[in-house]
Amino acid sequence: MSNAKERKHAKKMRNQPTNVTLSSGFVADSGVKYHNGGRKPFQSQKEPHSGTSRQWQTKMSHHSLAESDAKEQSSSRVTFKKKGGWKAGPEGTSQEIPKYITASTFAQARAAEISAMLKAVAQKSSNSLVFQTLPRHMRRRAMSHNVKRLPRRLQEIAQKEAEKAVHQKKEHSKNKCHKARRCHINRMLEFNRRQKKNKWLETHIWHAKRFHMVKRWGYCLGERPTVKSHRACYRAMTSRCLLQDLSYYCCLELKGKEEEILKALSPMCSIDTGLTFAAVHCLSGKHQGSLMLYRANKYPREMLGPVTFIWKAERTPGDTSESRHLWIWLHPSLKQDILEEIKAVCQCVEPTKSTVCLPDPLLTPSQEKSRTDLPTEKIGKKRKWKDDEENAKPIKKVIGDGTRDPLQPYSWISPTTGIVISDLTMEMNRFRLIGPLAHSILTEALKAASVHTEGEDTEKTPHCWWIEACRNPDSVSLHHRQETIFELLGGITSPAEIPAGTILGLTVGDPRINLPQKRSKVLPNPEKCQDNEKVRQLLLEGVPVECSHSFLWNQDICKSVTENKIPDQDLNRKRSELLVPGSQLFLGPHESKVPILLIQQPGKVTGDDQRGWGSGWDVLLPKGWGMAFWIPFIYRGARVGGLKETVVHSQYKRSPNVPGDFPDCPAGILFAEEQAKNLLEKYKRRPPAKRPNYVKLGTLAPFCCPWEQLTRDWESRVQAQDESSAASSPGGEESSLRRDVVPCAPMPGRTRQLSDDEGTPLNDSSEPKGVMDTDGPARPGTEGVVGQGATGSLLCVLRSRKLLRQLSAWCGPSSGNSRAAARAPGTGQQELRREACLSILDRFPKALVWVRLSLLRKGSPEPHTMICVPAEEDLLQLSQDRLYCGPQEPKHSDPFKSQIRKQKEKKKLEKRQKRGCAASEGLAEGDPAAGQQPLTLGLWSGPLPVVTSHCSRVLLGFVTQGDFSMAVGCGEALGFVSLTGLLDMLSSQPGVERGLVLLRPPASLQYRFARIVIEV
Amino acid sequence: MVRFKHRYLLCEVVSDDPRCRLSLEDRVLGGLVRDTIARVHGTFGAAACSIGFAVRYLNAYTGIVLLRCRKEFYRLVWSALPFITYLENRGHHYPCFLNTLHVGGTIRTCQKFLIQYNRRQLLILLQNCTDEGEREAIQKSVTRSCLLEESSAGEELSDSGGEETAEAME
């Protein structure tokens, strides 16, 4: 009988009387001291729940015991007279005739039996409820609900049962009724309480109703819609419009003199990776720039993360002494590191209290927490009148950062350079519209603010900043120019046509005013496209610099706009008071004017096909206006995506996703750790038989990518190869040079000799090869410096554009003229190329390269798929048979299985021992069990062996994003490969098949062919 | 309800020999009844009665025995009971006979009957008692059993509640 069944049976029988035999009584009575100690454990083991019957038995034996003592007789001969015996007479026919008999024992036995039977009869013994024991004809409807429907004798029991059932239910801490909880003021309180730990975006409630929410980076963010939408979101990105709330992106503002800022920030970025903060068209404020930040002077190691930045357009171009504003937008996971580093390079240490973003310092913390929500204050006050007047603090909606510690500074000033850094996180909303319909939606939803004319009544409107601005004819004309350009945007079919990073400032009216009645889908208006002359000019020249001006840069105006927002409630009331229902609402000068900033986001900028895919516009709004813009966008047919759509977007753009695809920056490492933990947890949730055994599949690290070890293994591998080749090959000179060069990176001696070389930019690797030759001996030293500075162990990702371009040229199958170029000079070219490889390797000893892999035939890669070097016979087979799918990995053996089994047996043994022995031994046994780390079946435990040569094909790298690509129609993956390995592979592969690799998902044995492409 | 219907025979083992009670065990008694049925009703009877036959309750002190058999053939068991004349255990023969008190459809009814029956017995005993001391003792046990009846109803729920919690803790 199974344990549960046994227990159930015991429960059923617990009230039933057990058999009482004299022999058991005899045992009990034969020794008094034996009575309690010896018998009970035996019985309790046999029947743990027969408490009452046991009591009865012991009682019985007690009686008989007392009796036997009194009578000085063996208890076995306790006389029990039956009815018949009683009637027949006392003597009976026993051999040992008792001297006298008593009726009391007889009576006691009867009485005990009565009580036992009573117990059995009176108590229900089954698991059923009371009313279930009633016969059919006595049952009534809703008996379990209403106790009074039961027969009166059962009512009491049923009552107790019902109470017990209530207790078993989870208790709600509802101190208020539903209606009270839904009341506005209480909801506000509750919402404010709930966003204390994790920040909420302004669109949180909207998202929470439609999205799976996750807590990430200190925010509550929508991860993916609850509806099925993977394909729909892709289609929206490609042909319609996808809307995302990126308000969680952090903004750092740097204020100061231009040259001071540039001087301070220049060590953090390298010209090698692209443009810097000083790029001309960015510096003017015309375009948004994007770059990679590194720790100061640590390039190419110690990456901090990618950022985008915009300079505020200067009023008087050319005047460099003017104070400039710079906004750096970055992902929240990178914020901590970058902020610290920027503070360090700008020498900004003193927290300032006087900046605009910090409100009145006299406010108490509780007031300050809700400092930003003056617009809702009116409602709060109104409610306050009604509810309780003594409540001093009106409850306000938290707008902006609800978690920010009021005492923590978020603005710092540098005493030497005068640069002020302020953290503008959550001070602005950032919405991203992706897709070709972004223009139509923007032009449809937003209408430029009407210029204020003198004739209107000015005293009442709260928007005095706009009236001020309208008095200045310059700004009015600027506004009109911005308006015409914005109108022109509607005629452009795709945001990709506009120059990348274009900034357009604008002041718009309240978008809620012209909200359509129903949700609709905008279509590009062909009539607007007729103005070809102007459109062409716009496309050619871009938005003029002065048009990028926006009042959004002015914190005071932003604050006033946030404070003077008309609540939805008032707007709706006014709408309901319209004479003709449904007609356009006209607020006149009371209508809010909102300064916004439109930034064009370039889509796919790398590669040859589909350039400009996924481009769109970012809309920056002052805080508090999030929902007012959000709903109008959606009503124009924008589809909303979450974090998952961000990943998909970056995947189709073939750009690395922040922070997952930055294995060399701290946020990326943290992200990978978290991801590995989650995946491991998910893996462990399945039973061992229902999950892949990764040890048998030869997958060493299915949940994380051991970049560190991969690069290290490749380094030692190449070194070993070189040594062997040097020993064997007669062409010793070149290889000996190589042998010298490769291990020199960690060598300390070379660092000094080339300090003069350090100043030269590191980008000369792609210079003409002749130069390279002469430069050869000097190179290693330079790289020694770099390697040394980074302590030689940190890996880096190759981001030098020139090197990447060179690599991408090498990766492709050398065909046509390039192959001819490679072949024609014969060995000379080949040698040169090796030389170049070596120089690259020296500069980036442990580097990874971001590559795109497109599968040749079948197969859809997934994250953590292994990228392997094909063996020669694979390529041979492929060239013979075009349909060849790929080789198979032979099954590995699982050396841990026996260990696990042993452990299990040991545990079982311990358990048995524990059960048998006393608890004191359990302490001693607990130690070895705790000391051994628990092995998981199917996972490699302990330190990983050499990762590159664990499988039959040499491991080159890992895929970080991979899926079936709906754009190309075959599997596509993005990932990193070891630079050392890549160069080694390329040099060994023949020209036609160059760039072919094998992909193997972690849970499969099948390799698939893919082509490596490096896109710059 | 779909179930096997049983009959329960509440019997009393009457024997003058105290050693008979000493050897009164369910296995012994069950074997005895089976043998008797086979002797009286032959192979058919034995086979018919062997299904579902069990000794559900046995009290050696009072000699009460509760036998269970299938409803279809309880008459065979019943009719065989008078033919039991001795209890055989370890080679000893103790003369005894079985006195059928009640035939019920459920254990519960038998238990209820047993309560009534025992109470009646006690009262008879009390009436016929002549010795003062014994009379007192009987009186005590009678009152105790009566008190138990009242208290048990109250006890029961708290008791079961306690057990429930104990079970939950396991």
Side-chain angles (χ1 to χ4, degrees):
Chain A
M1 210 191 276
S2 70
N3 200 20
K5 218 171 168 186
E6 211 168 77
R7 220 181 301 156
K8 202 173 165 190
H9 181 75
K11 194 179 171 190
K12 197 178 169 188
M13 298 306 288
R14 65 168 186 243
N15 289 321
Q16 293 299 324
T18 46
N19 292 344
V20 183
T21 52
L22 271 180
S23 56
S24 62
F26 174 71
V27 173
D29 291 346
S30 60
V32 182
K33 56 192 180 218
Y34 193 48
H35 171 70
N36 278 330
R39 214 173 105 88
K40 259 190 183 162
F42 165 70
Q43 236 206 353
S44 63
Q45 208 177 22
K46 199 172 144 198
E47 249 184 347
H49 296 292
S50 60
T52 53
S53 56
R54 191 170 64 225
Q55 270 179 4
W56 180 54
Q57 276 191 354
T58 49
K59 226 183 283 170
M60 286 283 295
S61 51
H62 263 301
H63 296 316
S64 49
L65 179 71
E67 230 168 21
S68 64
D69 282 349
K71 283 188 276 179
E72 299 167 316
Q73 259 188 344
S74 159
S75 60
S76 61
R77 259 161 266 135
V78 175
T79 48
F80 274 92
K81 286 297 154 192
K82 297 279 125 23
K83 185 178 134 202
W86 171 262
K87 277 178 180 168
E91 68 283 294
T93 52
S94 58
Q95 282 123 355
E96 291 175 56
I97 299 161
K99 285 172 194 150
Y100 51 90
I101 59 160
T102 52
S104 60
T105 49
F106 176 86
Q108 272 164 354
R110 299 278 151 162
E113 198 176 49
I114 286 174
S115 64
M117 289 298 157
L118 264 177
K119 186 136 212 151
V121 169
Q123 280 190 356
K124 67 175 187 70
S125 51
S126 60
N127 291 324
S128 56
L129 297 169
V130 176
F131 56 85
Q132 285 172 335
T133 59
L134 277 175
R136 276 280 164 92
H137 68 279
M138 288 176 76
R139 293 197 191 167
R140 296 291 178 269
R141 203 159 46 83
M143 259 180 172
S144 62
H145 174 68
N146 191 353
V147 178
K148 290 192 173 161
R149 286 174 183 269
L150 282 161
R152 200 164 287 164
R153 66 187 163 89
L154 295 175
Q155 277 183 11
E156 204 179 344
I157 306 167
Q159 188 102 48
K160 287 204 173 133
E161 250 171 22
E163 273 168 23
K164 205 159 53 183
V166 167
H167 280 297
Q168 277 167 357
K169 270 184 203 165
K170 203 184 170 190
E171 286 204 14
H172 293 280
S173 60
K174 286 180 184 171
N175 43 4
K176 284 171 189 158
C177 67
H178 178 80
K179 204 176 170 188
R181 270 183 286 129
R182 296 295 291 183
C183 147
H184 180 80
I185 217 164
N186 289 330
R187 280 183 89 187
M188 275 306 141
L189 268 179
E190 182 68 10
F191 287 168
N192 289 354
R193 184 188 65 75
R194 272 157 58 188
Q195 53 184 310
K196 260 178 200 152
K197 215 174 220 169
N198 288 288
K199 281 171 245 174
W200 281 9
L201 305 184
E202 279 171 33
T203 53
H204 177 88
I205 303 289
W206 191 93
H207 272 104
K209 288 172 183 169
R210 295 161 180 88
F211 276 68
H212 295 286
M213 303 301 284
V214 288
K215 293 187 174 67
R216 204 164 283 175
W217 310 307
Y219 294 87
C220 272
L221 302 174
E223 202 207 353
R224 56 180 203 279
T226 48
V227 294
K228 256 188 182 178
S229 62
H230 181 72
R231 210 166 264 266
C233 283
Y234 170 72
R235 265 189 234 124
M237 276 188 260
T238 325
S239 57
R240 285 191 289 276
C241 181
L242 188 84
L243 177 62
Q244 283 179 315
D245 189 355
L246 296 185
S247 306
Y248 60 89
Y249 265 67
C250 303
C251 179
L252 300 178
E253 189 188 51
L254 270 73
K255 264 187 288 187
K257 285 196 186 117
E258 186 181 303
E259 64 258 44
E260 293 281 0
I261 294 179
L262 286 178
K263 204 175 82 189
L265 291 181
S266 62
M268 288 182 71
C269 43
S270 166
I271 193 97
D272 232 12
T273 60
L275 298 168
T276 61
F277 285 108
V280 177
H281 58 285
C282 298
L283 197 59
S284 66
K286 197 177 169 189
H287 286 275
Q288 174 193 251
S290 66
L291 46 77
M292 301 283 169
L293 284 187
Y294 289 82
R295 237 172 244 292
N297 296 321
K298 288 284 172 61
Y299 175 80
R301 271 146 231 285
E302 302 205 40
M303 231 282 277
L304 286 175
V307 295
T308 61
F309 64 93
I310 45 178
W311 287 92
K312 184 184 177 184
E314 41 198 333
R315 274 295 163 102
T316 51
D319 184 10
T320 49
S321 64
E322 202 184 3
S323 172
R324 298 284 311 261
H325 290 235
L326 169 68
W327 276 351
I328 300 176
W329 285 88
L330 43 103
H331 194 269
S333 61
L334 315 167
K335 183 182 154 190
Q336 201 59 39
D337 296 317
I338 290 182
L339 182 59
E340 289 303 316
E341 190 62 25
I342 288 181
K343 265 158 71 182
V345 294
C346 295
Q347 300 157 346
C348 292
V349 278
E350 290 173 29
T352 53
K353 287 276 176 188
S354 57
T355 45
V356 276
C357 49
L358 195 69
D360 210 340
L362 295 173
L363 284 174
T364 61
S366 59
Q367 275 172 319
E368 195 174 57
K369 209 161 35 198
S370 49
R371 66 207 135 82
T372 48
D373 8 299
L374 299 166
T376 46
E377 191 177 27
K378 282 176 214 153
I379 308 170
K381 267 182 185 157
K382 238 186 295 166
R383 300 277 172 163
K384 194 187 74 182
W385 280 155
K386 269 188 252 169
D387 292 334
D388 47 339
E389 290 184 34
E390 66 270 32
N391 187 2
K393 281 181 289 176
I395 286 126
K396 299 168 191 167
K397 201 163 117 191
V398 171
I399 301 176
D401 192 348
T403 61
R404 183 178 273 173
D405 185 7
L407 299 174
Q408 195 185 328
Y410 38 96
S411 182
W412 300 268
I413 192 164
S414 155
T416 53
T417 55
I419 300 174
V420 180
I421 301 172
S422 33
D423 179 7
L424 294 188
T425 307
M426 301 289 283
E427 295 291 309
M428 270 173 286
N429 280 307
R430 189 182 179 117
F431 294 160
R432 178 167 289 178
L433 293 150
I434 302 165
L437 279 191
H439 281 148
S440 314
I441 286 176
L442 277 177
T443 47
E444 193 82 6
L446 308 178
K447 295 276 176 277
S450 55
V451 175
H452 186 264
T453 50
E454 283 300 320
E456 293 171 69
D457 49 341
T458 52
E459 63 273 10
K460 274 185 186 173
T461 61
H463 314 293
C464 39
W465 64 273
W466 182 242
I467 294 166
E468 288 284 319
C470 287
R471 286 211 183 103
N472 188 349
D474 283 352
S475 57
V476 171
S477 70
L478 181 63
H479 177 70
H480 283 304
R481 283 182 68 188
Q482 286 175 342
E483 194 180 340
T484 48
I485 288 174
F486 181 66
E487 290 300 323
L488 280 181
L489 283 182
I492 298 171
T493 47
S494 164
E497 293 176 31
I498 310 241
T502 303
I503 301 172
L504 174 65
L506 200 62
T507 308
V508 295
D510 196 332
R512 292 171 292 177
I513 301 279
N514 51 6
L515 193 69
Q517 297 269 334
K518 271 186 178 174
R519 200 181 150 181
S520 58
K521 276 183 184 142
V522 285
L523 292 168
N525 194 351
E527 287 167 24
K528 277 185 184 167
C529 300
Q530 288 171 353
D531 203 357
N532 270 329
E533 189 61 34
K534 282 179 184 171
V535 169
R536 212 174 299 134
Q537 197 186 347
L538 175 67
L539 291 183
L540 213 63
E541 292 173 6
V543 177
V545 180
E546 58 270 19
C547 284
S548 63
H549 168 264
S550 169
F551 291 105
L552 195 70
W553 288 94
N554 191 333
Q555 298 286 327
D556 294 325
I557 289 177
C558 273
K559 204 174 163 196
S560 128
V561 167
T562 306
E563 283 167 11
N564 292 316
K565 183 189 167 196
I566 307 172
D568 281 356
Q569 198 186 15
D570 294 4
L571 208 67
N572 288 337
R573 203 185 51 240
K574 275 180 191 158
R575 204 172 271 155
S576 73
E577 284 164 2
L578 280 174
L579 275 178
V580 183
S583 64
Q584 183 78 27
L585 186 68
F586 182 71
L587 290 175
H590 291 276
E591 185 186 338
S592 307
K593 314 290 187 295
V594 190
I596 61 168
L597 209 55
L598 298 170
I599 304 169
Q600 199 266 358
Q601 290 295 324
K604 192 160 165 294
V605 288
T606 58
D608 310 322
D609 52 337
Q610 287 196 312
R611 269 200 182 244
W613 184 92
S615 57
W617 285 91
D618 273 17
V619 186
L620 300 190
L621 319 164
K623 67 183 168 189
W625 281 88
M627 279 315 283
F629 280 78
W630 188 255
I631 296 294
F633 285 153
I634 290 166
Y635 266 50
R636 261 68 179 209
R639 177 176 270 276
V640 181
L643 289 177
K644 202 192 110 206
E645 276 65 44
T646 313
V647 175
V648 170
H649 183 228
S650 70
Q651 190 177 335
Y652 281 102
K653 262 167 66 184
R654 291 164 195 168
S655 63
N657 176 38
V658 188
D661 293 338
F662 289 88
D664 52 343
C665 90
I669 294 165
L670 203 74
F671 179 85
E673 275 170 13
E674 241 164 63
Q675 197 186 24
K677 212 175 73 188
N678 289 342
L679 285 174
L680 179 67
E681 208 171 278
K682 205 173 166 189
Y683 178 78
K684 275 184 177 170
R685 251 183 270 153
R686 286 179 172 276
K690 301 283 182 291
R691 66 193 188 196
N693 185 337
Y694 286 121
V695 180
K696 278 192 175 173
L697 289 166
T699 312
L700 285 178
F703 306 133
C704 62
C705 307
W707 303 118
E708 229 14 275
Q709 204 180 346
L710 178 79
T711 48
R712 212 174 331 124
D713 286 353
W714 262 107
E715 214 164 52
S716 52
R717 190 185 169 86
V718 168
Q719 219 167 305
Q721 269 180 12
D722 284 347
E723 264 156 34
S724 65
S725 70
S728 61
S729 73
E733 195 187 312
E734 185 237 317
S735 53
S736 69
L737 171 76
R738 203 183 340 160
R739 194 174 32 176
D740 263 358
V741 159
V742 172
C744 81
M747 204 182 286
R750 300 275 190 111
T751 53
R752 277 167 284 110
Q753 86 186 50
L754 277 159
S755 50
D756 56 331
D757 223 28
E758 207 177 9
T760 64
L762 301 165
N763 56 352
D764 47 0
S765 57
S766 64
E767 281 170 21
K769 315 279 166 156
V771 181
M772 191 61 100
D773 242 343
T774 58
D775 223 15
R779 281 284 111 204
T782 326
E783 299 338 310
V785 174
V786 176
Q788 276 272 309
T791 67
S793 67
L794 286 164
L795 71 145
C796 67
V797 174
L798 190 66
R799 292 203 177 84
S800 162
R801 297 178 67 83
K802 287 186 178 169
L803 280 187
L804 284 175
R805 220 166 280 148
Q806 193 176 359
L807 274 178
S808 93
W810 287 344
C811 271
S814 44
S815 60
N817 54 0
S818 70
R819 198 213 346 223
R823 288 290 161 208
T827 53
Q829 174 74 13
Q830 192 73 5
E831 299 268 316
L832 208 59
R833 215 176 63 80
R834 275 199 190 152
E835 197 75 5
C837 289
L838 284 178
S839 78
I840 295 172
L841 284 186
D842 293 340
R843 287 182 57 198
F844 301 96
K846 283 182 183 173
L848 299 171
V849 193
W850 175 251
V851 293
R852 176 173 78 87
L853 303 142
S854 58
L855 277 101
L856 293 189
R857 304 193 57 77
K858 276 169 78 172
S860 144
E862 49 192 87
H864 306 296
T865 293
M866 289 163 281
I867 306 170
C868 301
V869 181
E872 279 182 18
E873 64 261 25
D874 301 335
L875 295 175
L876 201 68
Q877 209 156 352
L878 183 70
S879 62
Q880 282 167 359
D881 177 16
R882 280 284 124 192
L883 299 175
Y884 180 52
C885 282
Q888 289 250 352
E889 172 76 20
K891 227 176 197 176
H892 294 235
S893 66
D894 188 351
F896 302 104
K897 204 164 185 177
S898 58
Q899 278 184 38
I900 290 172
R901 195 177 295 144
K902 248 179 238 165
Q903 237 176 32
K904 218 179 248 173
E905 271 168 18
K906 207 173 172 188
K907 217 179 255 175
K908 222 180 248 174
L909 211 77
E910 275 169 18
K911 220 179 210 174
R912 212 172 290 153
Q913 278 175 352
K914 243 180 229 172
R915 201 180 282 169
C917 304
S920 60
E921 276 178 51
L923 278 173
E925 278 170 38
D927 289 2
Q932 282 173 349
Q933 57 163 359
L935 293 168
T936 314
L937 188 67
L939 283 185
W940 196 275
S941 62
L944 299 181
V946 180
V947 285
T948 49
S949 52
H950 183 71
C951 297
S952 62
R953 305 294 184 278
V954 183
L955 186 71
L956 194 61
F958 292 99
V959 166
T960 58
Q961 300 175 27
D963 200 359
F964 182 81
S965 165
M966 285 182 267
V968 192
C970 69
E972 242 192 351
L974 298 164
F976 287 102
V977 294
S978 162
L979 178 62
T980 327
L982 180 69
L983 290 177
D984 187 65
M985 184 192 85
L986 289 179
S987 59
S988 65
Q989 276 182 345
V992 188
E993 278 125 8
R994 191 166 294 157
L996 278 184
V997 288
L998 291 170
L999 292 189
R1000 184 163 75 91
S1004 161
L1005 289 173
Q1006 178 73 49
Y1007 287 97
R1008 305 271 184 200
F1009 279 105
R1011 182 169 293 287
I1012 271 194
V1013 182
I1014 295 176
E1015 291 181 341
V1016 191
Chain B
M1 295 275 270
V2 183
R3 62 181 170 106
F4 289 119
K5 300 211 170 169
H6 290 110
R7 280 284 175 268
Y8 294 90
L9 304 169
L10 189 67
C11 308
E12 190 183 36
V13 181
V14 183
S15 169
D16 293 333
D17 196 343
R19 282 172 305 176
C20 171
R21 268 183 290 290
L22 188 64
S23 57
L24 192 61
E25 281 168 20
D26 50 354
R27 216 178 309 117
V28 176
L29 191 80
L32 183 68
V33 176
R34 260 182 249 269
D35 290 347
T36 320
I37 293 167
R39 188 153 46 91
V40 176
H41 297 295
T43 316
F44 167 76
C49 296
S50 65
I51 311 164
F53 179 81
V55 181
R56 292 310 306 221
Y57 171 71
L58 181 144
N59 191 342
Y61 288 87
T62 52
I64 300 294
V65 169
L66 190 63
L67 302 175
R68 187 188 72 178
C69 56
R70 284 281 159 84
K71 186 187 164 191
E72 288 78 21
F73 301 105
Y74 83 98
R75 282 173 186 280
L76 295 183
V77 182
W78 200 4
S79 56
L81 287 182
F83 292 92
I84 296 172
T85 49
Y86 58 89
L87 195 68
E88 189 182 353
N89 192 19
R90 296 194 194 100
H92 296 282
H93 287 250
Y94 307 110
C96 70
F97 63 90
L98 283 170
N99 192 11
T100 307
L101 304 174
H102 181 78
V103 179
T106 59
I107 297 181
R108 204 175 160 83
T109 54
C110 293
Q111 283 168 339
K112 280 178 182 169
F113 175 81
L114 188 60
I115 294 165
Q116 298 299 321
Y117 174 76
N118 276 339
R119 213 169 271 159
R120 218 162 48 225
Q121 291 295 304
L122 282 176
L123 287 178
I124 293 166
L125 193 64
L126 195 63
Q127 277 173 6
N128 295 348
C129 194
T130 47
D131 189 2
E132 264 315 302
E134 278 188 3
R135 202 182 172 82
E136 238 174 67
I138 292 165
Q139 189 103 44
K140 214 164 71 188
S141 56
V142 168
T143 50
R144 199 164 59 89
S145 73
C146 293
L147 278 174
L148 263 170
E149 187 181 10
E150 284 160 20
S151 65
S152 66
E155 243 174 59
E156 160 204 334
L157 274 162
S158 61
D159 206 42
S160 66
E163 268 167 46
E164 215 98 283
T165 52
E167 240 164 69
M169 274 157 67
E170 271 178 10

